[in-house]
Amino acid sequence: MKPSTIAFETLLEQLPETYTPADRELVMKAYAVAEEAHREQKRHSGEPYINHCIAVASILAELKVPAEVIAAGLLHDTVEDTSVTLADIRRDFGDTVRLLVDGVTKLTHLPRVSHDAKDVGKGNGADEKVIQPTSLGRKEDMVSETLRKMFLAMSENVDVMLIKLADRLHNIRTLGHMPEHKQKRIAQETLDIFAPLANRLGIWQLKWELEDLSFRYINPEKYKEIVGQLAERRPDRERTLEEIKDKLIKLLEKNNIKAEISGRPKHIYSIYKKMRDKDRTFNMVYDVRAVRLIVPDVPSCYAALGLIHTSWRPIQGEFDDYIAAPKDNFYQSLHTAVKYDDKRPLEVQIRTPEMHLSAEYGIAAHWRYKEGGKQTDKNFEKHINSLRSMMEWRTDVKDAAEFVESMQSDVFKDRVYIQTPRGDIIDLPSGSTPIDFAYHVHTDIGHRCRGAKVNGKLVPLYQELKTNDSVEILTAKRGGPSRDWVNPSLGLVKTQRARSKIKVWFKKQEDEQNLAQGRATLERELQRLGIKETNFENLAHNLEYKTTDELFIALGAADLSISKVIKQFAEAEEIKDILEPNAPATSDKKSSGIEVVGLKGMLANMAKCCAPMPGDEIVGFVTRGRGVTVHRHDCPNILKIQDRERFLKVDWGHAERTYPIPIAIKAYDRQGLMVDVSKLLADENINITNVSVNINRSIADLRLMIEVRDLTQLSKILNRIENLPNVMEARRTNPG
Ligand code: MN
């Protein structure tokens, strides 16, 4: 038998006993497809690629996940690395498996945009996706983007996450075969991201192995040192622990409590972390003996605790009741520490078998209790919902690096438990401040937070909250957050949840300001150009804004320039005929110059009374004997006319021609003003056909007739004139 066949036989034996024949069938079929697809591929170690797939499935089998998840584990690299397609998988395995494989494939897809045959080509079997810098951005950006996608996927489908974690665990188990320069990076990423993720899902079994194996590559010297010390001290330690266990068992039996007692294995990385964080020596960390009691039910937990506390003196501050107040990853236990016979500390954890499984397998404990009843199903739901609420901000944060930081601040951090004045308990990431707390209670309380009392005393808003703190927020009647709150160097706000809400508040304020300013800018410009009636909705629509508010906000925020709006005016293809909205259009073709709809070739004159120009809304008026005269639709002469039969719908053509437009310039008189104005017009190739100047108490009133092409050019020229020294105003006036 081939080694991979033996490995698969072992997997079959590991499958949960609860599997039906159909479940086992599904797993076998998945193996057959994966084995064939990966047949020619090898891993870095030289072994067949399929061994990796079997190993991933086997890690999943240990979690007792449903058969579909095991099948997806076997198939997890087929779509990415072989000719198998998602359609094939749907046909052979159904929608659930397809969804899972698709989810895992999507998580790994991004870094593969740059296919480098040497690193990721088919057949070399490196499962670690090699991340190459590409035109999409820097390496770090792509790593962050992958992680962002992963966390989003996590909040959608936990099974996808489990497969990904199993995949990573096997990769880190076999990291020794990877090129050295990749080992450290992969190990660091595992320690920073995957282990905290396993922790958040409560899967301690995955977490400790991910941590210890990563640590081995990140700090090999320290790792070896601790392993050596552990081996040296083990026999001695095991003897002491046996004594303690005997004593405890006797004590409990005498009081009719059945208990299973085990020494608690200490993991290498957790020993290292304690040494580093609490600045302790190996002996100080290692010498703390720790035992775990598993008793049948919750009353027995407290009974055992009472017995232990009356037999040995409890150490102050070491008692935690995680049964009454479970940790945020739903961990439950009683924790205490006592001074043992030899006056040295002994740590004790007490829990029920159900709590124990949940402590080891976290979210995955769900399947071990499948038959167990509704309670765990409810916990499973609660667990998933709490993950989602921790990531409430997830769709707001688009920047990948910020997203990963937010995961680290809001999701991976340990939690602290804070009391509200009403006695409710709220859990927050450790390091949270009163402002974070306020936003967690209610967005509006966050906005109006002005001070805080912790345990009855006023504290500064940057004070970090601790478990059991009782917090009362002092609020203003109205008002909003301070800009300082989002200044990272002040440390006033630590959670992304609060940051997101503060940003939304400021965005809304800005929107309101920008809206007012944008509207004022546009109205002023329209007035200056002599445009009286405007359909803002059409304008917004033509400029591709959903609402007029959006148009004004864009203008106010300078995302849209006023000249672009004016250009849109000038180019508007359809200028609404407000005089005859129902007039049938008999021709919609445009010719050069002015077209008079339905009366092609008829003579058209520009009315002298209102001097219309392209961009203005216009109307044709049939004169007696002089053809059609074109007026601005708001020309006072036109508005007076009752005889609607004589109006015609007219439109502007596209030909180059100019229109005489009267403008007025108001300025503090100075030498050379007129020279500057005429030079400016000459630069723009604009003719001046008439000039008059009036000076009254050193205010100059210049009246010019200029020949311009359209509104855009007029707007531009008025702007430039207004920017000349001493000029107060330049605007279009009415003729005459
Ligand atoms: Mn893989």
Side-chain angles (χ1 to χ4, degrees), residues 588-643:
D588 55 7
K589 289 223 180 73
K590 298 223 159 66
S591 61
S592 61
I594 308 300
E595 181 177 338
V596 181
V597 176
L599 292 167
K600 213 168 202 154
M602 198 164 173
L603 209 56
N605 304 303
M606 293 302 114
K608 291 204 176 60
C609 53
C610 57
M613 63 182 297
D616 286 336
E617 286 189 49
I618 49 174
V619 63
F621 180 66
V622 184
T623 61
R624 291 176 216 280
R626 281 184 293 118
V628 174
T629 314
V630 176
H631 293 259
R632 280 159 60 168
H633 75 81
D634 54 0
C635 172
N637 291 335
I638 283 295
L639 293 175
K640 269 188 283 190
I641 292 168
Q642 304 288 325
D643 187 2

Short mmCIF file of all heavy atoms in Angstrom, two decimals, residues 588-643:
data_model
loop_
_atom_site.label_atom_id
_atom_site.label_comp_id
_atom_site.label_asym_id
_atom_site.label_seq_id
_atom_site.Cartn_x
_atom_site.Cartn_y
_atom_site.Cartn_z
N ASP A 588 -34.98 66.08 -34.11
CA ASP A 588 -34.09 66.15 -32.96
C ASP A 588 -32.63 66.22 -33.40
O ASP A 588 -31.73 66.04 -32.64
CB ASP A 588 -34.34 64.99 -32.00
CG ASP A 588 -34.24 63.66 -32.70
OD1 ASP A 588 -33.84 63.67 -33.91
OD2 ASP A 588 -34.56 62.64 -32.10
N LYS A 589 -32.45 66.43 -34.69
CA LYS A 589 -31.08 66.54 -35.18
C LYS A 589 -30.54 67.93 -34.93
O LYS A 589 -31.27 68.91 -34.86
CB LYS A 589 -31.06 66.26 -36.69
CG LYS A 589 -31.32 64.79 -37.01
CD LYS A 589 -30.37 64.32 -38.09
CE LYS A 589 -30.61 62.86 -38.45
NZ LYS A 589 -31.85 62.69 -39.22
N LYS A 590 -29.25 67.97 -34.76
CA LYS A 590 -28.63 69.27 -34.51
C LYS A 590 -27.79 69.65 -35.72
O LYS A 590 -27.11 68.84 -36.30
CB LYS A 590 -27.73 69.19 -33.29
CG LYS A 590 -28.52 68.83 -32.06
CD LYS A 590 -28.09 69.66 -30.91
CE LYS A 590 -29.16 69.69 -29.86
NZ LYS A 590 -29.38 68.39 -29.26
N SER A 591 -27.85 70.91 -36.07
CA SER A 591 -26.95 71.38 -37.13
C SER A 591 -26.10 72.48 -36.53
O SER A 591 -26.22 72.80 -35.37
CB SER A 591 -27.76 71.90 -38.31
OG SER A 591 -28.55 72.98 -37.85
N SER A 592 -25.26 73.04 -37.31
CA SER A 592 -24.42 74.11 -36.78
C SER A 592 -25.29 75.34 -36.54
O SER A 592 -26.35 75.49 -37.11
CB SER A 592 -23.32 74.45 -37.78
OG SER A 592 -23.91 74.87 -38.98
N GLY A 593 -24.82 76.17 -35.67
CA GLY A 593 -25.56 77.38 -35.37
C GLY A 593 -26.80 77.05 -34.56
O GLY A 593 -26.80 76.17 -33.74
N ILE A 594 -27.85 77.77 -34.85
CA ILE A 594 -29.07 77.59 -34.09
C ILE A 594 -30.04 76.78 -34.90
O ILE A 594 -30.22 77.02 -36.09
CB ILE A 594 -29.72 78.96 -33.81
CG1 ILE A 594 -28.70 79.91 -33.19
CG2 ILE A 594 -30.94 78.80 -32.92
CD1 ILE A 594 -28.13 79.42 -31.91
N GLU A 595 -30.64 75.83 -34.27
CA GLU A 595 -31.64 75.07 -34.98
C GLU A 595 -33.00 75.40 -34.42
O GLU A 595 -33.21 75.44 -33.22
CB GLU A 595 -31.37 73.59 -34.84
CG GLU A 595 -32.39 72.77 -35.59
CD GLU A 595 -32.09 71.29 -35.51
OE1 GLU A 595 -30.92 70.95 -35.25
OE2 GLU A 595 -33.02 70.50 -35.71
N VAL A 596 -33.91 75.64 -35.32
CA VAL A 596 -35.28 75.87 -34.90
C VAL A 596 -36.05 74.62 -35.21
O VAL A 596 -36.24 74.24 -36.36
CB VAL A 596 -35.89 77.08 -35.63
CG1 VAL A 596 -37.31 77.31 -35.15
CG2 VAL A 596 -35.02 78.30 -35.41
N VAL A 597 -36.47 73.94 -34.15
CA VAL A 597 -37.07 72.63 -34.32
C VAL A 597 -38.33 72.71 -35.16
O VAL A 597 -39.21 73.54 -34.92
CB VAL A 597 -37.40 72.02 -32.94
CG1 VAL A 597 -38.11 70.68 -33.09
CG2 VAL A 597 -36.11 71.85 -32.15
N GLY A 598 -38.41 71.87 -36.18
CA GLY A 598 -39.62 71.79 -37.00
C GLY A 598 -39.66 72.81 -38.11
O GLY A 598 -40.46 72.74 -39.01
N LEU A 599 -38.80 73.79 -38.10
CA LEU A 599 -38.81 74.84 -39.13
C LEU A 599 -37.40 75.04 -39.64
O LEU A 599 -36.84 76.11 -39.58
CB LEU A 599 -39.35 76.15 -38.55
CG LEU A 599 -40.83 76.12 -38.17
CD1 LEU A 599 -41.17 77.32 -37.33
CD2 LEU A 599 -41.70 76.06 -39.43
N LYS A 600 -36.82 73.94 -40.07
CA LYS A 600 -35.44 73.96 -40.48
C LYS A 600 -35.19 75.02 -41.55
O LYS A 600 -35.99 75.21 -42.44
CB LYS A 600 -35.07 72.60 -41.05
CG LYS A 600 -33.63 72.24 -40.78
CD LYS A 600 -33.36 70.79 -41.07
CE LYS A 600 -32.13 70.41 -40.30
NZ LYS A 600 -32.08 69.03 -39.99
N GLY A 601 -34.08 75.68 -41.42
CA GLY A 601 -33.69 76.64 -42.45
C GLY A 601 -34.28 78.02 -42.25
O GLY A 601 -33.92 78.97 -42.94
N MET A 602 -35.15 78.12 -41.30
CA MET A 602 -35.75 79.42 -41.06
C MET A 602 -34.72 80.34 -40.41
O MET A 602 -33.86 79.91 -39.66
CB MET A 602 -36.94 79.25 -40.12
CG MET A 602 -37.88 80.41 -40.15
SD MET A 602 -39.43 79.91 -39.40
CE MET A 602 -40.25 81.46 -39.36
N LEU A 603 -34.81 81.60 -40.74
CA LEU A 603 -33.86 82.57 -40.23
C LEU A 603 -33.99 82.72 -38.71
O LEU A 603 -35.08 82.90 -38.18
CB LEU A 603 -34.16 83.93 -40.90
CG LEU A 603 -33.00 84.88 -41.10
CD1 LEU A 603 -31.88 84.22 -41.92
CD2 LEU A 603 -33.50 86.14 -41.78
N ALA A 604 -32.86 82.62 -38.00
CA ALA A 604 -32.92 82.78 -36.54
C ALA A 604 -32.01 83.92 -36.11
O ALA A 604 -30.85 83.97 -36.49
CB ALA A 604 -32.51 81.50 -35.84
N ASN A 605 -32.56 84.85 -35.34
CA ASN A 605 -31.76 85.97 -34.84
C ASN A 605 -31.70 85.92 -33.32
O ASN A 605 -32.66 85.53 -32.67
CB ASN A 605 -32.41 87.31 -35.21
CG ASN A 605 -32.61 87.40 -36.70
OD1 ASN A 605 -31.66 87.29 -37.47
ND2 ASN A 605 -33.87 87.56 -37.11
N MET A 606 -30.56 86.37 -32.79
CA MET A 606 -30.44 86.48 -31.35
C MET A 606 -31.15 87.75 -30.91
O MET A 606 -30.91 88.83 -31.47
CB MET A 606 -28.97 86.56 -30.92
CG MET A 606 -28.19 85.29 -31.18
SD MET A 606 -28.86 83.83 -30.36
CE MET A 606 -29.36 82.88 -31.78
N ALA A 607 -32.02 87.63 -29.92
CA ALA A 607 -32.74 88.81 -29.45
C ALA A 607 -31.78 89.77 -28.77
O ALA A 607 -30.91 89.34 -28.01
CB ALA A 607 -33.83 88.39 -28.47
N LYS A 608 -31.91 91.05 -29.07
CA LYS A 608 -31.00 92.03 -28.48
C LYS A 608 -31.37 92.34 -27.02
O LYS A 608 -30.52 92.73 -26.23
CB LYS A 608 -31.03 93.33 -29.31
CG LYS A 608 -30.39 93.13 -30.67
CD LYS A 608 -29.90 94.45 -31.23
CE LYS A 608 -29.17 94.25 -32.56
NZ LYS A 608 -30.04 93.62 -33.60
N CYS A 609 -32.66 92.14 -26.69
CA CYS A 609 -33.11 92.50 -25.35
C CYS A 609 -32.48 91.66 -24.26
O CYS A 609 -32.24 92.12 -23.15
CB CYS A 609 -34.63 92.43 -25.27
SG CYS A 609 -35.28 90.83 -25.83
N CYS A 610 -32.20 90.35 -24.55
CA CYS A 610 -31.69 89.50 -23.48
C CYS A 610 -30.38 88.81 -23.85
O CYS A 610 -29.76 88.14 -23.02
CB CYS A 610 -32.73 88.45 -23.08
SG CYS A 610 -33.27 87.45 -24.47
N ALA A 611 -29.91 88.99 -25.11
CA ALA A 611 -28.63 88.46 -25.57
C ALA A 611 -28.34 87.04 -25.07
O ALA A 611 -27.47 86.82 -24.24
CB ALA A 611 -27.49 89.41 -25.16
N PRO A 612 -29.08 86.05 -25.56
CA PRO A 612 -28.84 84.68 -25.10
C PRO A 612 -27.54 84.11 -25.64
O PRO A 612 -27.01 84.60 -26.65
CB PRO A 612 -30.04 83.92 -25.67
CG PRO A 612 -30.50 84.71 -26.83
CD PRO A 612 -30.11 86.15 -26.60
N MET A 613 -27.04 83.13 -24.95
CA MET A 613 -25.83 82.46 -25.40
C MET A 613 -25.92 80.99 -25.04
O MET A 613 -26.71 80.61 -24.17
CB MET A 613 -24.60 83.10 -24.77
CG MET A 613 -24.59 82.97 -23.26
SD MET A 613 -23.18 83.78 -22.54
CE MET A 613 -21.88 82.84 -23.24
N PRO A 614 -25.12 80.14 -25.70
CA PRO A 614 -25.22 78.71 -25.43
C PRO A 614 -25.09 78.41 -23.94
O PRO A 614 -24.25 78.96 -23.25
CB PRO A 614 -24.05 78.13 -26.21
CG PRO A 614 -23.87 79.08 -27.33
CD PRO A 614 -24.16 80.44 -26.75
N GLY A 615 -25.95 77.54 -23.47
CA GLY A 615 -26.01 77.25 -22.04
C GLY A 615 -27.24 77.86 -21.42
O GLY A 615 -27.82 77.31 -20.50
N ASP A 616 -27.65 79.01 -21.94
CA ASP A 616 -28.90 79.60 -21.47
C ASP A 616 -30.05 78.75 -21.97
O ASP A 616 -29.98 78.16 -23.05
CB ASP A 616 -29.09 81.01 -22.06
CG ASP A 616 -28.16 82.04 -21.41
OD1 ASP A 616 -27.73 81.81 -20.26
OD2 ASP A 616 -27.89 83.06 -22.07
N GLU A 617 -31.10 78.69 -21.18
CA GLU A 617 -32.31 78.07 -21.69
C GLU A 617 -32.97 79.09 -22.60
O GLU A 617 -33.09 80.27 -22.26
CB GLU A 617 -33.25 77.68 -20.55
CG GLU A 617 -32.75 76.45 -19.81
CD GLU A 617 -33.77 75.94 -18.83
OE1 GLU A 617 -34.94 75.77 -19.22
OE2 GLU A 617 -33.40 75.73 -17.68
N ILE A 618 -33.37 78.65 -23.79
CA ILE A 618 -33.88 79.59 -24.78
C ILE A 618 -35.22 79.15 -25.35
O ILE A 618 -35.62 78.00 -25.21
CB ILE A 618 -32.87 79.77 -25.95
CG1 ILE A 618 -32.43 78.40 -26.45
CG2 ILE A 618 -31.71 80.66 -25.54
CD1 ILE A 618 -31.56 78.46 -27.66
N VAL A 619 -35.83 80.10 -25.99
CA VAL A 619 -37.08 79.82 -26.65
C VAL A 619 -37.12 80.64 -27.94
O VAL A 619 -36.55 81.72 -28.02
CB VAL A 619 -38.27 80.14 -25.73
CG1 VAL A 619 -38.32 81.62 -25.38
CG2 VAL A 619 -39.59 79.71 -26.34
N GLY A 620 -37.74 80.07 -28.96
CA GLY A 620 -37.86 80.81 -30.22
C GLY A 620 -39.19 81.55 -30.27
O GLY A 620 -40.19 81.07 -29.76
N PHE A 621 -39.14 82.71 -30.86
CA PHE A 621 -40.36 83.51 -30.97
C PHE A 621 -40.55 83.91 -32.43
O PHE A 621 -39.65 84.49 -33.05
CB PHE A 621 -40.23 84.76 -30.08
CG PHE A 621 -41.45 85.64 -30.13
CD1 PHE A 621 -42.67 85.20 -29.62
CD2 PHE A 621 -41.38 86.91 -30.72
CE1 PHE A 621 -43.79 86.03 -29.67
CE2 PHE A 621 -42.49 87.73 -30.78
CZ PHE A 621 -43.70 87.29 -30.25
N VAL A 622 -41.71 83.54 -32.98
CA VAL A 622 -41.95 83.81 -34.41
C VAL A 622 -42.36 85.27 -34.57
O VAL A 622 -43.39 85.70 -34.07
CB VAL A 622 -43.05 82.89 -34.97
CG1 VAL A 622 -43.23 83.11 -36.46
CG2 VAL A 622 -42.73 81.43 -34.67
N THR A 623 -41.51 86.01 -35.26
CA THR A 623 -41.80 87.44 -35.43
C THR A 623 -42.61 87.64 -36.69
O THR A 623 -42.75 86.72 -37.51
CB THR A 623 -40.51 88.27 -35.54
OG1 THR A 623 -39.80 87.80 -36.70
CG2 THR A 623 -39.66 88.12 -34.31
N ARG A 624 -43.12 88.85 -36.85
CA ARG A 624 -43.82 89.15 -38.09
C ARG A 624 -42.79 89.63 -39.10
O ARG A 624 -42.25 90.72 -38.95
CB ARG A 624 -44.85 90.25 -37.84
CG ARG A 624 -45.99 89.74 -36.98
CD ARG A 624 -46.97 90.86 -36.66
NE ARG A 624 -47.51 90.73 -35.32
CZ ARG A 624 -48.49 89.90 -34.99
NH1 ARG A 624 -49.04 89.11 -35.87
NH2 ARG A 624 -48.93 89.85 -33.75
N GLY A 625 -42.45 88.74 -40.05
CA GLY A 625 -41.60 89.13 -41.16
C GLY A 625 -40.10 89.06 -40.90
O GLY A 625 -39.30 89.25 -41.80
N ARG A 626 -39.65 88.80 -39.70
CA ARG A 626 -38.20 88.75 -39.47
C ARG A 626 -37.76 87.35 -39.01
O ARG A 626 -36.80 87.19 -38.29
CB ARG A 626 -37.80 89.78 -38.43
CG ARG A 626 -37.70 91.19 -39.03
CD ARG A 626 -37.21 92.20 -38.00
NE ARG A 626 -38.21 92.40 -36.94
CZ ARG A 626 -38.00 92.12 -35.67
NH1 ARG A 626 -36.85 91.64 -35.27
NH2 ARG A 626 -38.96 92.32 -34.77
N GLY A 627 -38.52 86.36 -39.40
CA GLY A 627 -38.16 84.98 -39.03
C GLY A 627 -38.36 84.74 -37.55
O GLY A 627 -39.29 85.27 -36.94
N VAL A 628 -37.45 83.94 -36.98
CA VAL A 628 -37.57 83.57 -35.57
C VAL A 628 -36.50 84.30 -34.76
O VAL A 628 -35.35 84.34 -35.16
CB VAL A 628 -37.42 82.05 -35.39
CG1 VAL A 628 -37.41 81.68 -33.91
CG2 VAL A 628 -38.54 81.32 -36.13
N THR A 629 -36.90 84.89 -33.67
CA THR A 629 -35.93 85.50 -32.76
C THR A 629 -35.75 84.58 -31.55
O THR A 629 -36.72 84.05 -31.02
CB THR A 629 -36.41 86.88 -32.28
OG1 THR A 629 -36.88 87.59 -33.42
CG2 THR A 629 -35.30 87.64 -31.61
N VAL A 630 -34.51 84.42 -31.17
CA VAL A 630 -34.22 83.54 -30.03
C VAL A 630 -34.00 84.37 -28.77
O VAL A 630 -33.18 85.29 -28.76
CB VAL A 630 -32.98 82.66 -30.32
CG1 VAL A 630 -32.63 81.80 -29.10
CG2 VAL A 630 -33.25 81.77 -31.54
N HIS A 631 -34.81 84.07 -27.75
CA HIS A 631 -34.72 84.77 -26.47
C HIS A 631 -34.31 83.81 -25.38
O HIS A 631 -34.52 82.60 -25.49
CB HIS A 631 -36.10 85.35 -26.08
CG HIS A 631 -36.57 86.45 -26.96
ND1 HIS A 631 -36.47 87.77 -26.60
CD2 HIS A 631 -37.17 86.42 -28.18
CE1 HIS A 631 -37.00 88.52 -27.57
NE2 HIS A 631 -37.42 87.71 -28.54
N ARG A 632 -33.76 84.37 -24.26
CA ARG A 632 -33.63 83.55 -23.06
C ARG A 632 -35.04 83.27 -22.56
O ARG A 632 -35.91 84.11 -22.65
CB ARG A 632 -32.82 84.30 -22.01
CG ARG A 632 -31.33 84.20 -22.29
CD ARG A 632 -30.57 85.29 -21.62
NE ARG A 632 -30.74 85.25 -20.16
CZ ARG A 632 -29.99 85.96 -19.33
NH1 ARG A 632 -29.04 86.76 -19.81
NH2 ARG A 632 -30.20 85.90 -18.05
N HIS A 633 -35.25 82.08 -21.99
CA HIS A 633 -36.63 81.73 -21.64
C HIS A 633 -37.17 82.64 -20.54
O HIS A 633 -38.36 82.77 -20.37
CB HIS A 633 -36.74 80.26 -21.21
CG HIS A 633 -36.21 79.98 -19.85
ND1 HIS A 633 -36.95 80.22 -18.73
CD2 HIS A 633 -35.01 79.49 -19.44
CE1 HIS A 633 -36.23 79.89 -17.67
NE2 HIS A 633 -35.05 79.46 -18.08
N ASP A 634 -36.23 83.25 -19.77
CA ASP A 634 -36.69 84.12 -18.69
C ASP A 634 -36.63 85.60 -19.08
O ASP A 634 -36.70 86.48 -18.23
CB ASP A 634 -35.89 83.87 -17.41
CG ASP A 634 -34.39 83.98 -17.65
OD1 ASP A 634 -33.98 84.25 -18.81
OD2 ASP A 634 -33.62 83.79 -16.70
N CYS A 635 -36.48 85.88 -20.38
CA CYS A 635 -36.46 87.27 -20.84
C CYS A 635 -37.79 87.94 -20.50
O CYS A 635 -38.86 87.40 -20.75
CB CYS A 635 -36.24 87.30 -22.36
SG CYS A 635 -36.42 88.96 -23.04
N PRO A 636 -37.72 89.10 -19.86
CA PRO A 636 -38.95 89.79 -19.45
C PRO A 636 -39.91 90.00 -20.62
O PRO A 636 -41.13 89.87 -20.46
CB PRO A 636 -38.46 91.13 -18.92
CG PRO A 636 -37.01 90.93 -18.61
CD PRO A 636 -36.50 89.86 -19.52
N ASN A 637 -39.35 90.25 -21.80
CA ASN A 637 -40.22 90.47 -22.96
C ASN A 637 -41.00 89.21 -23.32
O ASN A 637 -42.15 89.28 -23.75
CB ASN A 637 -39.40 90.91 -24.17
CG ASN A 637 -38.84 92.32 -23.96
OD1 ASN A 637 -39.41 93.09 -23.18
ND2 ASN A 637 -37.74 92.62 -24.61
N ILE A 638 -40.35 88.07 -23.19
CA ILE A 638 -40.99 86.79 -23.50
C ILE A 638 -42.05 86.45 -22.46
O ILE A 638 -43.15 85.99 -22.78
CB ILE A 638 -39.92 85.68 -23.57
CG1 ILE A 638 -39.15 85.75 -24.90
CG2 ILE A 638 -40.50 84.29 -23.37
CD1 ILE A 638 -40.01 85.46 -26.10
N LEU A 639 -41.72 86.72 -21.20
CA LEU A 639 -42.65 86.38 -20.13
C LEU A 639 -43.96 87.16 -20.25
O LEU A 639 -45.00 86.73 -19.81
CB LEU A 639 -42.00 86.63 -18.76
CG LEU A 639 -40.83 85.70 -18.42
CD1 LEU A 639 -40.17 86.09 -17.11
CD2 LEU A 639 -41.26 84.24 -18.39
N LYS A 640 -43.86 88.33 -20.89
CA LYS A 640 -45.05 89.17 -21.05
C LYS A 640 -46.02 88.62 -22.09
O LYS A 640 -47.21 88.88 -22.04
CB LYS A 640 -44.63 90.60 -21.47
CG LYS A 640 -44.41 91.53 -20.27
CD LYS A 640 -44.20 92.95 -20.75
CE LYS A 640 -42.78 93.10 -21.27
NZ LYS A 640 -42.33 94.44 -21.56
N ILE A 641 -45.47 87.84 -23.04
CA ILE A 641 -46.29 87.46 -24.20
C ILE A 641 -47.31 86.38 -23.86
O ILE A 641 -46.97 85.36 -23.26
CB ILE A 641 -45.38 87.00 -25.36
CG1 ILE A 641 -44.59 88.23 -25.86
CG2 ILE A 641 -46.19 86.37 -26.49
CD1 ILE A 641 -43.47 87.89 -26.78
N GLN A 642 -48.57 86.61 -24.21
CA GLN A 642 -49.65 85.67 -23.92
C GLN A 642 -49.82 84.64 -25.04
O GLN A 642 -50.24 83.52 -24.81
CB GLN A 642 -50.99 86.43 -23.76
CG GLN A 642 -50.97 87.51 -22.70
CD GLN A 642 -50.93 86.95 -21.29
OE1 GLN A 642 -51.53 85.91 -21.02
NE2 GLN A 642 -50.22 87.63 -20.40
N ASP A 643 -49.47 85.03 -26.24
CA ASP A 643 -49.75 84.24 -27.43
C ASP A 643 -48.77 83.08 -27.60
O ASP A 643 -47.77 83.18 -28.30
CB ASP A 643 -49.69 85.17 -28.67
CG ASP A 643 -50.15 84.45 -29.92
OD1 ASP A 643 -50.54 83.26 -29.82
OD2 ASP A 643 -50.10 85.08 -30.99
#
